[in-house]
Amino acid sequence: MTPKLTTLKAMTAVLALALLATFTAPAERAEAQTLEQIKETKTVRLGVRRDAAPFSSIIEGERTAGYSVDLCIAVAGQISQMLGVGSLSVEFVEVTAENRFDSIVEGKIDLLCGATSVTLSRREVIDFSTPIFVDGASVLLRADGPQSFAELEGKVIGVRGGTTTEAALENTLIRQQVTATVMAVTDHADGLAALESKQIDAYFADQSILFFLTTKSQEPTRLMVSENSFTVELYALGLPRGDNEFRLAVDRALARLFRGGAVKSLFEKNFGNAQPSEGLRYLARFGALPE
């Protein structure tokens, strides 16, 4: 099966409204602390997840990889030019789904580089850059099992615990009037293993992650990703709340990367043969903000 990121229904209108919200910076703190620290230390600290491929992963214990990680490294390069300090050292700090936001609040990292959805409740704690990716939650199914979400009545659905996707699954079950058992797993690899071993009947996650999981399966032809999307998820880089100078520098760096085509190259590097969805193509146009 050739991975393909399918079009999300009503994506254009929803994306435009969501972008307006993420472009609005909260004004709780005015210090430009992060840029000053980066200039003084000549180091930028990037928070990376071990278990969020193809956006962020740690391979063989130490090598970082992923779309968001590569994008953060490129942003660091742009910021070094803005500050005129030459090359910046990049320090990778491992974070988890549970402690990633605390790592920003506690000053352990400067940028969160993962599969991080923008929500209003999260914006009470941290700030976000302009969006870097748009996705939608869907289900991974076995070819010999239920073929649609409606057929999951009375079945077991796996989901990564402690994420917005877990809440999205609960809401989707209510909207679709489907009664099913939800089983939380610790990471996506466990979700794939549970589906293949028939411990669960479907795995619920963002489509891009589901397509990536099929490439890790020993028998990918036995799996299928539903074409239906049940949410719209805007991903962005997380950063300290209220540090408007740093947020502007990150947004300026992202805009330059979108305008110059670097983001397209990073997508191709990390997603292989997958084609960007219509929503992602619109995002590329929105993200190329003019100076």
Side-chain angles (χ1 to χ4, degrees):
M1 179 175 65
T2 301
K4 181 179 180 181
L5 298 184
T6 56
T7 301
L8 305 179
K9 294 181 179 179
M11 176 63 69
T12 307
V14 175
L15 176 61
L17 292 173
L19 286 170
L20 289 176
T22 57
F23 289 156
T24 305
E28 181 176 289
R29 194 184 69 175
E31 301 96 329
Q33 297 174 345
T34 310
L35 283 178
E36 293 171 3
Q37 178 178 288
I38 290 174
K39 188 172 184 179
E40 180 179 346
T41 63
K42 294 186 179 181
T43 300
V44 60
R45 298 164 302 167
L46 306 181
V48 297
R49 294 259 309 272
R50 179 177 296 273
D51 59 346
F55 295 92
S56 176
S57 60
I58 300 175
I59 303 171
E60 298 174 352
E62 58 182 23
R63 186 167 65 88
T64 58
Y67 172 83
S68 298
V69 175
D70 288 344
L71 196 54
C72 277
I73 294 172
V75 166
Q78 290 288 327
I79 289 177
S80 70
Q81 294 180 26
M82 297 177 200
L83 296 176
V85 295
S87 297
L88 292 174
S89 296
V90 175
E91 178 183 341
F92 297 107
V93 180
E94 183 176 352
V95 299
T96 65
E98 293 75 23
N99 71 10
R100 51 186 165 165
F101 304 127
D102 288 340
S103 296
I104 296 176
V105 174
E106 295 168 5
K108 296 178 181 178
I109 61 175
D110 303 314
L111 275 176
L112 175 58
C113 315
T116 309
S117 299
V118 180
T119 69
L120 294 174
S121 59
R122 288 176 174 178
R123 286 180 62 200
E124 293 178 348
V125 181
I126 66 170
D127 263 357
F128 290 97
S129 69
T130 50
I132 62 168
F133 200 86
V134 61
D135 210 343
S138 189
V139 284
L140 182 64
L141 304 163
R142 292 191 307 273
D144 62 353
Q147 301 294 292
S148 68
F149 197 87
E151 294 179 26
L152 292 173
E153 177 72 31
K155 304 297 185 180
V156 181
I157 306 174
V159 66
R160 173 71 166 83
T163 64
T164 57
T165 313
E166 185 176 20
L169 173 56
E170 297 285 0
N171 292 332
T172 301
L173 288 169
I174 294 171
R175 288 197 309 270
Q176 300 291 321
Q177 297 182 327
V178 171
T179 301
T181 300
V182 174
M183 187 178 88
V185 299
T186 56
D187 59 44
H188 296 304
D190 286 343
L192 175 63
L195 180 64
E196 291 184 315
S197 63
K198 299 187 177 182
Q199 296 178 55
I200 59 177
D201 301 289
Y203 187 63
F204 193 87
D206 289 344
Q207 277 188 332
S208 57
I209 292 174
L210 296 180
F211 281 120
F212 180 78
L213 288 177
T214 65
T215 69
K216 299 301 179 182
S217 173
Q218 296 297 317
E219 299 182 84
T221 56
R222 294 179 57 195
L223 301 175
M224 54 181 285
V225 179
S226 171
E227 293 186 356
N228 293 327
S229 295
F230 302 101
T231 66
V232 176
E233 304 281 343
L234 281 174
Y235 291 175
L237 306 179
L239 57 153
R241 191 173 196 264
D243 195 337
N244 295 331
E245 291 300 321
F246 182 53
R247 184 174 193 249
L248 177 60
V250 172
D251 288 347
R252 177 169 280 127
L254 288 172
R256 291 176 179 177
L257 293 168
F258 272 111
R259 290 199 305 266
V263 174
K264 180 176 182 292
S265 298
L266 294 181
F267 177 88
E268 293 171 349
K269 172 187 174 183
N270 289 284
F271 290 90
N273 294 328
Q275 296 299 310
S277 66
E278 182 180 3
L280 192 56
R281 291 194 294 271
Y282 274 107
L283 178 63
R285 296 170 63 182
F286 278 113
L289 295 171
E291 291 288 343

